[in-house]
Amino acid sequence: MKERNTTSTLKRILVNCSSQAKEYGGCVAKKVPEVERDMCLKEFLALKNCMQNVCLTSVFCYIKNFSMSANASSSQLTVGLSGSGGLSHAYVQYPPLKCNLPGSRGLYYDDANKLLLSPTSDQVFSWKTVPFSPHVAATADYINEGPVLSIRYSLDAKSIAVHRSNQEIQFFQRETRETFTHMCKSESESILGFFWTDCPVCDLVVVKTSGLDLLTVSFTSKSVNLVETKKLSVNWYVYTHGSRLVLLASGMQCKTLTGFQLSSVGIVRLPRFEMVMAKSDANSKPVLAAEDVFIITVYGRIYCLQIDRVAMQLHSYRFYRDAVVQQGSLPMFSSKISVSVVDNVLLVHQVDARVSILYDIFEDSRAPISAPLPLLLRGLPQSHTGRPVNVGESLDRNSSNHELMFYGDDWTFLVPDLICDVASKSVWKIHLDLEVISSSSSEVPSNLEFLQRRKLEASKTKQLCLAITRAFILERRPVTMVAKAIDVLVSSYSHSVKTCSNLKETKVDEASASVGTNASNSSRSAKDESRVGVGDKSFNLSASDSDDQSREIDSRDLQKSGKENLLGAESSRGEVQSSSLHTQQLGLGNNQLNANNSERQDSQLTSPAISPDEMYSCVFVPVGEEIVGDPSYLVAIIVEFLRSTNSEKIKVRPNIYVFTIQLLVRYERFAELSLLIINKVLEPSKEVAMQLLESGHQNPQMRKLALDMLRQLSLHHDYVTLLVQDGCYLEALRYARKHKVTSVRPSLFLEAALASKDSQHLAAVLRFFSDFIAGFRNTPEYQDYFRILNEMNTGLAV
Amino acid sequence: MGLASVNTASEGMQLCIFDLRRGQQEGQELDKILFFFPADLPFATQLSVIGLSEGLITFTRIFSPDAACEVIEAERHSHVFYEAESDIWMVMVVDKSKESKAACQVDALRKVLKEVHSLFVLFHGTMRSMLEKETSGGLIRSHLYPFITDYLSDFLIGRKLQLPSFHDCLMERGTVQMLTVGREAAIEVQSLVKVLECSAGTTSCYSLVLFQDLLVSTTLSPDDTISLFTYAVLRLTPHALSSGATSWSYLQRTNAGSQVPALSTITNSGSVSDNIYRSRDASLDQENNCQVKRPLHHNRWFRGNDGFLASDIWGTDNGSQTSVTPIVYLQLTEERMYLCAYQHKSLTIILLVPVSSILNGEQGLSLVKQQVLENASLKMLMVEEKLSKGWGGENAYHVSGYRYLLVDDERVSRASPPAKVMTLAKESLLALSKLREEVNLEKKRAKCSSSEVNCDKELEICVRAKNGAWVIARTSRGKELYMVLEKASETLLYAADSVEKFSNRYCSGVFSLD
């Protein structure tokens, strides 16, 4: 197994450190067969350095495989935790949640209520893990003394059920401290476990060797009533509340599984299916254990992962309402495997190899999204950050010098994203470092796709997406590639806009969403996600009083994003100022935009989707400032963006059109511009028309287009005013008469007529207004021009 | 026989190009003549035509130094003048036959001159620069002769040169015809154009996209667009390539029957001209003569396997067997560009790549082509599909009941399909032809008198023709509308109403003011 492990890593290293490896290999080859200690030390150190860089402090680089000196091998483990400065795709944040109590009899996790439970002799202490905070206070409830096999709070948190023995479950009501006991009826069967459910027919499900008992619990009668029994011989079972799915294993090898989904819409029995188990030889019959099966919920879909120790593969199955479909396998590099799901990303912890591999199983892809790297510890107090933290080092002096062992035997991975260190009684939450993950991917479109699917820390993800897109464009990548990236962003936005309304609907009547397992799952998972999202926010808030590093990162990001917004606003305002005609209007628009932005950032986002406005202010405008020379590349990208929004039927605000016009005008690409206008690629609007007018000084064709646009938009007032400005006052009059435009001051027309020095025209205009506007004859304007007209006529007569 | 004999027999027309800066000394008058058609006319006759023209130019310049004479109407001839470049004049002498008396459209003829000149400049650069390059004039003569005879052969119908007449008054030469596309298709086209430009690697390349014989997109300046569009429709579009098929575009109305004599006459007359010029210009060596390219030569373009159009007009590359890519000159910047044309079904894409940006000639160019295919071929398929889905066919722009011509800014035009115009009575067309002359005159006057006012002349004329048809012209803000309504009823009100309806429906109300 280790062989396989190292070869794949080796390949990666050799690609990146080929020159160093060659040198070292050459050196060794020269001296072989006289191998001795510290041989080729210089070359080795160079190679080691390179490898450490390549692996991003990965323990996976089994340096000791190469090491010829004892020194090197000792450095192996320090690499894994080289302090808070190290990079990793996933990390845990210091400090952990400490659940250390005197007299504790073990730690239990209630995944339905997301509670960490620690019973003592007569009490049970519980810590909320959602929202995750290391400083959350424990609440205590009284229970009777006795053995505890497992313990779970009811879903309404009013009562506690304690699994006492194979035959007995005891119930406590928290308020009244009433209690009663439920016993197994026959001696032949024993209770394997139980869980509370929100299924409409029952409250509690007890899994026994003979099958499932669906029970209702009543404290008034101090009894449980059996609602239904599902007869089945059961060896062991797996249940997660997130999926509401219980898998019951039966058969000699325990590889025949039957599933029930007990959700709020009812009970669904899944078809029985067999797990795939490779045999080491014909006669061996490996037995599947409960620890080898994981139920995970990703993107609202339910999967089951099963360890096949012989084949060293992790098989995955996807559950549908009427079928279980094997989906393919993931490789195993360790005999001990555990899984977590963080933000719909599957983390497969190769415990022995001390690394975690990330998978995004959105589209049946089995490729890991990043290199195998260990989890990292972040946010250690100052005294520790000076030097790298050794795994063996004590992290908490108060905890009786207990040692934190990463991927140690004491680690228990809790569903979905917690790690419980049983020995030190501390709980860690796994976070993803999206920045590191995305920086390790060179394929920007798929990387953006991945990021857009992340729901936790949405605003941070969004800023990351924007930064990636900006950089991608600034690097002048091929337009087709950028177009792909933009397609990803736009379709993700359109999706988020569409699902926003859907989400509400499913929440309102969840019962109606009983179309299938998928549908009900997705609604549920959506609910879960939103809950998690809210939780995350308050986590950030509560974490703010301790000066840990993640907060620093956060605030830095926020500052950065704030500055970018500011920049965007400034730039666009600057451009707007140049166009005097519509400064006010656009300026207003921009301010609104910023306000929206900051508001949106303040309130926790549920999706990192990027709206067209944000594309404009955070991508196109900053890029437009940085790009020097010909703008056709940027225009090409904007056209791709418009194509994308058009195909997704998303409305784009005129500011992006105005921006495009400014770009094209700056480099006098009038032919292209007029085509874009004529074909309505840049949709007509008042802002666009005004910008075109602005460019009309350089090219009369643009002015014409602007006028046509104004007329087509029926902006009569502006049209007439511009006609008069052009000196076409007679035409303007005709237009005014036809469309009843009375808002333009008559004096404008009269001045224009006077400027033409044609007394007949002046008379005509004067006459027109005295007919057109009631009471015009009584205005001083009329008098003035009447006098002027008379003077002109007498002048002519003389 | 040959074109020359055909023409002298049918006494159709004479066309000459001369340079006023040359041959000013007595006895060197022949030096002025850069081109004369028909070439086999005695020099004495040629010189008398040119002498008359020159005299008139000199005389009228006294009164109007900037714009000398435009036309002389003699009893049996019309002389149409066009100053192609400064002091280089093109004069066309057209016989007035009895039937078409006063019906030849002077403006249309001048546009013919303009068109042939702009095409010549497109491929050879300006005549002046050519004259400067080779002062004896042999070079330009050897280029002009085949070029113009090739061009004129397009006007051959049977054995007669059919020059624009009153029949063609519902079309406008020297304009482009645009395809109307929806926003979605337009975005696709733009996206394709951008990909094309970017895949050529340089920022300063241009493109022209045509669908059938209609322009879809251009990034060139208006003048370059017009000349390149004209050439494309004449020689590159699918219609032009399949020479047997008759096209509905006015630019190429030659049919299969006319091709054969045209070609034969050209080769014949070419030899005649060679003899003439060689006898006169001893300096013109054989080598030079061989290098004369004939971009308007018929049936010389074909579609290659890779979808790019190729032609042997410019010879083949020495190293490989690929044909040499033509080079064209842009008018505004005088940049030299490689002309690459790609065709997929009805879609023709012309990509102009600066010569200066391609280092190793054909090899570099084929690399660019390859890149274009790699990046854009999918997009081209999609655009073609989208455009042909939205296309209404040859009669797409026919509006029943109306026969119209719409000219925008003297650059873009749209007209009733020629087949529909054919249904009009002769009287209507004659009336319209007359009306157009009037409007042109009026336009010129407006331009002269109000040069400082940028407001274009507003004009509205309705004429009742002898046969009772309404012939209408309207101009507004640089846009012109000409219309014949044969089935309109008696009243002017009705006719005006029809125009209003048309304007609102098809011109977004440009011509409806009251």
Side-chain angles (χ1 to χ4, degrees):
Chain A
M1 182 223 93
K2 257 178 192 169
E3 272 315 303
R4 174 202 289 252
N5 203 345
T6 42
T7 42
S8 72
T9 321
L10 254 177
K11 203 187 278 171
R12 209 157 49 80
I13 291 167
L14 287 176
V15 169
N16 290 295
C17 305
S18 54
S19 68
Q20 287 92 336
K22 245 180 230 162
E23 266 170 36
Y24 176 63
C27 175
V28 173
K30 256 185 241 163
K31 299 193 176 162
V32 164
E34 304 136 41
V35 182
E36 51 180 301
R37 198 185 147 88
D38 282 349
M39 183 180 82
C40 302
L41 186 62
K42 201 180 107 200
E43 287 83 358
F44 169 73
L45 287 176
L47 177 59
K48 193 188 92 179
N49 258 337
C50 172
M51 282 180 338
Q52 283 175 348
N53 289 335
V54 167
C55 301
L56 299 172
T57 70
S58 162
V59 179
F60 211 33
C61 314
Y62 275 96
I63 299 171
K64 74 176 164 209
N65 287 353
F66 300 90
S67 94
M68 299 221 147
S69 67
N71 275 341
S73 82
S74 79
S75 73
Q76 170 221 347
L77 287 176
T78 58
V79 175
L81 285 169
S82 58
S84 14
L87 288 172
S88 182
H89 45 42
Y91 62 92
V92 294
Q93 185 74 46
Y94 185 85
L97 168 61
K98 293 301 240 179
C99 314
N100 205 4
L101 286 171
S104 161
R105 297 182 179 180
L107 274 177
Y108 299 92
Y109 183 61
D110 178 1
D111 73 328
N113 296 301
K114 312 268 184 222
L115 288 175
L116 210 64
L117 304 171
S118 173
T120 57
S121 58
D122 60 344
Q123 271 184 316
V124 56
F125 290 88
S126 63
W127 292 267
K128 274 187 184 166
T129 61
V130 169
F132 188 84
S133 157
H135 306 288
V136 75
T139 41
D141 287 293
Y142 287 95
I143 56 169
N144 294 349
E145 204 158 336
V148 176
L149 292 179
S150 78
I151 182 164
R152 282 175 186 269
Y153 279 52
S154 69
L155 295 182
D156 56 8
K158 281 184 180 154
S159 44
I160 308 168
V162 182
H163 188 189
R164 292 293 193 188
S165 71
N166 281 346
Q167 305 292 322
E168 184 184 352
I169 294 175
Q170 199 171 19
F171 295 93
F172 301 90
Q173 192 159 27
R174 289 173 72 188
E175 271 181 34
T176 57
R177 299 198 191 175
E178 280 178 90
T179 173
F180 66 94
T181 309
H182 168 67
M183 302 286 288
C184 248
K185 282 193 183 113
S186 84
E187 293 289 317
S188 61
E189 57 185 23
S190 62
I191 298 176
L192 293 168
F194 72 95
F195 52 87
W196 297 89
T197 169
D198 53 1
C199 182
V201 294
C202 58
D203 304 325
L204 189 80
V205 178
V206 176
V207 188
K208 299 186 293 184
T209 46
S210 61
L212 292 182
D213 278 353
L214 311 184
L215 309 166
T216 54
V217 180
S218 159
F219 275 92
T220 44
S221 61
K222 290 205 169 186
S223 66
V224 294
N225 299 317
L226 185 66
V227 178
E228 201 182 338
T229 311
K230 308 266 183 198
K231 284 284 175 208
L232 198 71
S233 115
V234 180
N235 294 335
W236 48 259
Y237 80 102
V238 188
Y239 176 78
T240 65
H241 188 75
S243 62
R244 309 291 203 278
L245 181 72
V246 59
L247 288 179
L248 308 169
S250 54
M252 286 292 284
Q253 286 179 273
C254 303
K255 63 175 195 175
T256 309
L257 292 179
T258 313
F260 290 94
Q261 194 186 30
L262 303 118
S263 67
S264 55
V265 290
I267 303 170
V268 178
R269 185 188 177 124
L270 299 174
R272 168 187 301 243
F273 67 103
E274 296 266 321
M275 293 279 189
V276 180
M277 303 269 284
K279 291 176 186 173
S280 51
D281 58 80
N283 295 324
S284 78
K285 285 194 173 157
V287 178
L288 195 65
E291 303 85 66
D292 292 350
V293 173
F294 310 96
I295 300 171
I296 58 164
T297 315
V298 177
Y299 297 114
R301 311 166 189 160
I302 301 174
Y303 292 88
C304 167
L305 297 179
Q306 171 232 338
I307 296 173
D308 185 342
R309 288 181 195 283
V310 178
M312 283 308 275
Q313 278 188 320
L314 194 58
H315 301 305
S316 72
Y317 306 83
R318 181 167 169 194
F319 292 99
Y320 297 91
R321 191 188 178 89
D322 49 1
V324 180
V325 180
Q326 197 177 353
Q327 297 275 307
S329 306
L330 306 172
M332 273 170 64
F333 303 116
S334 158
S335 58
K336 191 179 171 199
I337 291 275
S338 207
V339 299
S340 302
V341 175
V342 183
D343 203 2
N344 287 325
V345 175
L346 172 67
L347 282 82
V348 177
H349 306 287
Q350 316 273 353
V351 178
D352 292 346
R354 293 168 179 277
V355 290
S356 303
I357 305 178
L358 272 58
Y359 298 93
D360 182 25
I361 38 180
F362 185 71
E363 282 146 359
D364 301 329
S365 133
R366 298 278 158 266
I369 53 173
S370 74
L373 294 176
L375 287 174
L376 208 66
L377 177 63
R378 282 202 184 163
L380 272 184
Q382 279 299 312
S383 58
H384 289 275
T385 47
R387 61 206 163 87
V389 178
N390 271 328
V391 168
E393 192 171 344
S394 121
L395 284 171
D396 197 344
R397 275 145 220 167
N398 301 333
S399 66
S400 64
N401 272 343
H402 198 92
E403 293 172 339
L404 168 80
M405 282 296 292
F406 261 59
Y407 297 100
D409 293 334
D410 297 330
W411 268 22
T412 313
F413 292 89
L414 301 176
V415 182
D417 56 358
L418 296 177
I419 299 169
C420 179
D421 191 335
V422 181
S424 67
K425 299 270 171 49
S426 44
V427 176
W428 308 81
K429 187 180 162 79
I430 305 174
H431 300 270
L432 293 181
D433 191 330
L434 295 178
E435 228 162 310
V436 172
I437 295 172
S438 63
S439 68
S440 67
S441 156
S442 57
E443 190 82 351
V444 169
S446 59
N447 185 17
L448 283 174
E449 226 168 293
F450 169 75
L451 287 176
Q452 287 290 309
R453 286 199 288 265
R454 308 282 72 82
K455 306 286 182 198
L456 293 174
E457 303 185 293
S459 71
K460 205 171 151 186
T461 313
K462 184 189 220 162
Q463 292 307 324
L464 188 60
C465 286
L466 288 170
I468 289 172
T469 317
R470 271 195 303 268
F472 199 48
I473 297 173
L474 280 172
E475 283 166 25
R476 283 191 174 253
R477 296 303 184 84
V479 176
T480 40
M481 287 299 289
V482 181
K484 260 183 217 160
I486 283 174
D487 279 346
V488 167
L489 294 181
V490 171
S491 65
S492 154
Y493 174 72
S494 126
H495 185 72
S496 81
V497 168
K498 276 177 207 151
T499 47
C500 258
S501 48
N502 290 348
L503 207 83
K504 277 173 202 152
E505 277 167 34
T506 47
K507 270 184 182 170
V508 168
D509 55 358
E510 223 167 356
S512 72
S514 60
V515 189
T517 335
N518 274 332
S520 59
N521 281 342
S522 68
S523 75
R524 197 179 311 116
S525 75
K527 212 171 67 179
D528 283 353
E529 272 162 21
S530 64
R531 217 189 298 153
V532 169
V534 170
D536 206 55
K537 177 199 173 191
S538 47
F539 161 61
N540 281 342
L541 284 178
S542 60
S544 61
D545 43 5
S546 72
D547 60 346
D548 53 12
Q549 214 196 357
S550 92
R551 191 183 140 256
E552 275 169 27
I553 291 169
D554 275 348
S555 62
R556 204 192 327 126
D557 273 5
L558 271 177
Q559 271 172 4
K560 206 199 290 168
S561 68
K563 207 164 57 185
E564 275 155 9
N565 277 334
L566 222 74
L567 265 178
E570 266 170 16
S571 64
S572 43
R573 215 171 291 140
E575 276 156 8
V576 167
Q577 268 160 7
S578 70
S579 53
S580 57
L581 265 169
H582 61 300
T583 306
Q584 229 179 345
Q585 211 172 10
L586 262 187
L588 262 178
N590 268 323
N591 287 341
Q592 275 168 8
L593 196 98
N594 282 336
N596 284 348
N597 266 356
S598 50
E599 250 170 59
R600 257 178 260 154
Q601 264 166 8
D602 286 346
S603 67
Q604 193 71 30
L605 293 166
T606 51
S607 153
I610 296 168
S611 73
D613 266 347
E614 287 156 330
M615 276 302 269
Y616 165 72
S617 57
C618 302
V619 176
F620 295 134
V621 171
V623 166
E625 273 170 14
E626 283 191 49
I627 266 185
V628 278
D630 196 37
S632 66
Y633 177 73
L634 186 54
V635 174
I637 282 156
I638 292 177
V639 167
E640 290 298 335
F641 176 68
L642 294 180
R643 181 187 55 76
S644 201
T645 51
N646 183 55
S647 65
E648 295 281 354
K649 310 242 179 320
I650 296 173
K651 280 267 168 240
V652 180
R653 276 159 52 112
N655 51 13
I656 195 160
Y657 301 140
V658 171
F659 179 66
T660 315
I661 295 172
Q662 286 167 346
L663 276 179
L664 285 168
V665 166
R666 204 183 304 161
Y667 290 86
E668 301 186 346
R669 312 284 293 240
F670 292 113
E672 284 167 82
L673 180 53
S674 57
L675 257 177
L676 291 179
I677 297 287
I678 288 168
N679 288 328
K680 295 195 170 60
V681 173
L682 307 178
E683 288 168 308
S685 68
K686 188 168 175 178
E687 288 90 333
V688 170
M690 290 304 169
Q691 184 59 48
L692 279 177
L693 274 181
E694 193 72 19
S695 341
H697 300 307
Q698 294 172 53
N699 189 320
Q701 179 72 22
M702 296 301 119
R703 193 178 171 83
K704 263 185 192 169
L705 286 174
L707 278 171
D708 286 349
M709 191 180 284
L710 284 177
R711 202 187 53 237
Q712 276 161 41
L713 290 170
S714 302
L715 293 167
H716 302 312
H717 175 84
D718 300 272
Y719 182 63
V720 170
T721 316
L722 283 165
L723 278 183
V724 177
Q725 270 177 24
D726 282 358
C728 304
Y729 53 94
L730 289 180
E731 194 186 334
L733 277 186
R734 277 204 292 272
Y735 189 86
R737 184 177 63 196
K738 185 179 176 190
H739 295 281
K740 313 247 177 326
V741 186
T742 50
S743 53
V744 183
R745 281 183 296 123
S747 61
L748 279 179
F749 293 87
L750 291 163
E751 274 162 26
L754 185 61
S756 69
K757 294 197 177 68
D758 188 330
S759 65
Q760 282 182 8
H761 280 187
L762 183 60
V765 174
L766 210 54
R767 175 64 206 273
F768 172 83
F769 276 111
S770 38
D771 288 353
F772 190 56
I773 300 175
F776 181 69
R777 276 175 194 278
N778 302 326
T779 59
E781 243 167 18
Y782 177 81
Q783 311 290 346
D784 287 351
Y785 280 96
F786 190 70
R787 192 172 40 78
I788 294 170
L789 187 63
N790 274 337
E791 278 166 17
M792 279 171 94
N793 284 337
T794 49
L796 274 177
V798 168
Chain B
M1 82 157 265
L3 186 60
S5 60
V6 168
N7 275 294
T8 37
S10 66
E11 54 190 49
M13 69 101 172
Q14 289 157 358
L15 200 166
C16 58
I17 302 173
F18 54 90
D19 180 5
L20 289 182
R21 295 183 194 168
R22 299 170 65 89
Q24 290 303 317
Q25 251 113 55
E26 190 118 352
Q28 291 181 354
E29 285 88 352
L30 268 182
D31 206 28
K32 278 178 207 169
I33 310 175
L34 301 180
F35 172 81
F36 203 98
F37 176 91
D40 53 355
L41 227 56
F43 286 132
T45 325
Q46 292 187 16
L47 281 176
S48 82
V49 170
I50 286 168
L52 175 63
S53 306
E54 193 183 345
L56 278 162
I57 290 164
T58 323
F59 177 66
T60 49
R61 264 186 179 169
I62 299 170
F63 313 103
S64 164
D66 298 328
C69 69
E70 291 177 333
V71 67
I72 318 170
E73 297 279 2
E75 195 187 346
R76 280 187 295 174
H77 304 282
S78 294
H79 290 240
V80 182
F81 290 76
Y82 174 62
E83 187 173 15
E85 290 161 34
S86 63
D87 285 335
I88 295 178
W89 285 79
M90 300 174 84
V91 177
M92 191 186 251
V93 185
V94 195
D95 285 13
K96 287 181 178 172
S97 59
K98 268 179 200 141
E99 66 211 84
S100 63
K101 205 159 218 171
C104 70
Q105 256 199 302
V106 175
D107 216 53
L109 291 178
R110 192 173 301 113
K111 288 215 162 111
V112 170
L113 296 178
K114 203 174 161 189
E115 185 172 283
V116 67
H117 175 253
S118 71
L119 283 174
F120 185 82
V121 171
L122 179 68
F123 285 101
H124 301 298
T126 57
M127 297 188 195
R128 186 57 74 197
S129 67
M130 227 171 180
L131 280 169
E132 277 160 7
K133 214 190 305 176
E134 207 254 2
T135 44
S136 75
L139 184 69
I140 192 162
R141 284 189 193 110
S142 65
H143 277 90
L144 273 174
Y145 194 85
F147 192 88
I148 295 179
T149 37
D150 281 344
Y151 176 76
L152 285 178
S153 69
D154 283 349
F155 290 94
L156 272 179
I157 301 236
R159 297 212 158 174
K160 240 182 124 179
L161 272 180
Q162 187 80 49
L163 289 172
S165 70
F166 67 93
H167 291 290
D168 307 313
C169 59
L170 272 182
M171 58 182 61
E172 186 75 353
R173 191 171 290 275
T175 56
V176 295
Q177 285 80 54
M178 302 276 301
L179 179 75
T180 309
V181 291
R183 179 165 191 256
E184 195 181 328
I187 293 177
E188 287 296 343
V189 170
Q190 279 307 311
S191 153
L192 167 66
V193 165
K194 294 295 175 189
V195 168
L196 282 177
E197 279 178 17
C198 292
S199 57
T202 58
T203 46
S204 56
C205 58
Y206 299 95
S207 69
L208 204 70
V209 180
L210 288 95
F211 182 79
Q212 301 280 20
D213 287 350
L214 297 170
L215 183 70
V216 180
S217 151
T218 173
T219 57
L220 283 164
S221 72
D223 288 338
D224 289 321
T225 301
I226 289 172
S227 34
L228 204 60
F229 172 80
T230 309
Y231 183 72
V233 172
L234 284 175
R235 295 294 179 263
L236 296 180
T237 58
H239 278 124
L241 287 186
S242 58
S243 53
T246 49
S247 167
W248 44 273
S249 169
Y250 81 88
L251 276 168
Q252 27 154 313
R253 287 189 304 162
T254 51
N255 48 41
S258 74
Q259 296 277 328
V260 182
L263 278 175
S264 68
T265 51
I266 280 162
T267 43
N268 279 344
S269 59
S271 64
V272 172
S273 79
D274 283 354
N275 294 335
I276 292 167
Y277 287 116
R278 208 164 297 141
S279 62
R280 210 168 59 191
D281 279 305
S283 62
L284 189 72
D285 55 357
Q286 194 69 32
E287 189 73 17
N288 218 347
N289 201 19
C290 283
Q291 278 177 355
V292 173
K293 311 291 186 246
R294 295 167 58 181
L296 285 171
H297 207 163
H298 279 278
N299 295 345
R300 298 297 284 275
W301 281 94
F302 52 90
R303 197 169 166 276
N305 288 332
D306 53 356
F308 278 95
L309 299 181
S311 168
D312 54 359
I313 294 173
W314 288 268
T316 49
D317 199 30
N318 289 337
S320 58
Q321 282 307 301
T322 53
S323 47
V324 171
T325 313
I327 292 172
V328 296
Y329 294 78
L330 294 187
Q331 285 180 29
L332 216 63
T333 53
E334 296 190 348
E335 246 179 309
R336 297 170 75 225
M337 309 291 256
Y338 283 115
L339 184 154
C340 305
Y342 177 88
Q343 199 160 77
H344 170 67
K345 290 185 187 165
S346 310
L347 189 74
T348 310
I349 292 164
I350 298 174
L351 191 65
L352 297 185
V353 189
V355 174
S356 54
S357 75
I358 304 283
L359 292 175
N360 43 353
E362 290 302 318
Q363 231 175 343
L365 209 54
S366 69
L367 217 67
V368 168
K369 284 179 179 176
Q370 207 178 323
Q371 210 137 32
V372 166
L373 284 182
E374 259 170 42
N375 292 332
S377 52
L378 253 178
K379 271 212 146 83
M380 292 194 266
L381 293 187
M382 206 161 67
V383 166
E384 205 280 336
E385 201 176 313
K386 217 157 226 165
L387 291 181
S388 41
K389 226 181 259 169
W391 195 50
E394 291 178 12
N395 287 338
Y397 299 128
H398 174 57
V399 182
S400 69
Y402 295 88
R403 300 293 180 270
Y404 68 95
L405 167 68
L406 201 61
V407 185
D408 186 358
D409 218 20
E410 300 188 359
R411 286 197 175 120
V412 182
S413 73
R414 170 166 299 170
S416 297
K420 299 286 179 185
V421 176
M422 297 262 270
T423 63
L424 286 180
K426 195 180 161 192
E427 284 87 358
S428 321
L429 286 171
L430 276 171
L432 181 66
S433 173
K434 190 119 174 97
L435 180 61
R436 288 204 62 183
E437 295 265 314
E438 289 294 324
V439 172
N440 282 336
L441 213 63
E442 200 61 41
K443 261 167 42 190
K444 259 171 221 146
R445 267 187 214 140
K447 246 179 224 161
C448 293
S449 61
S450 62
S451 50
E452 74 267 32
V453 180
N454 62 349
C455 181
D456 291 299
K457 186 82 180 164
E458 296 259 336
L459 199 72
E460 182 176 358
I461 308 175
C462 288
V463 179
R464 186 92 194 230
K466 274 181 200 151
N467 60 346
W470 284 105
V471 179
I472 300 160
R474 274 197 190 183
T475 67
S476 167
R477 307 189 61 79
K479 292 192 169 75
E480 299 162 42
L481 173 68
Y482 302 96
M483 192 175 271
V484 180
L485 299 170
E486 280 196 331
K487 293 201 180 73
S489 78
E490 310 296 311
T491 63
L492 178 63
L493 200 66
Y494 183 87
D497 213 41
S498 305
V499 176
E500 185 84 13
K501 257 187 221 154
F502 182 88
S503 158
N504 283 336
R505 192 121 177 243
Y506 301 100
C507 322
S508 55
V510 179
F511 299 103
S512 40
L513 283 167
D514 293 76

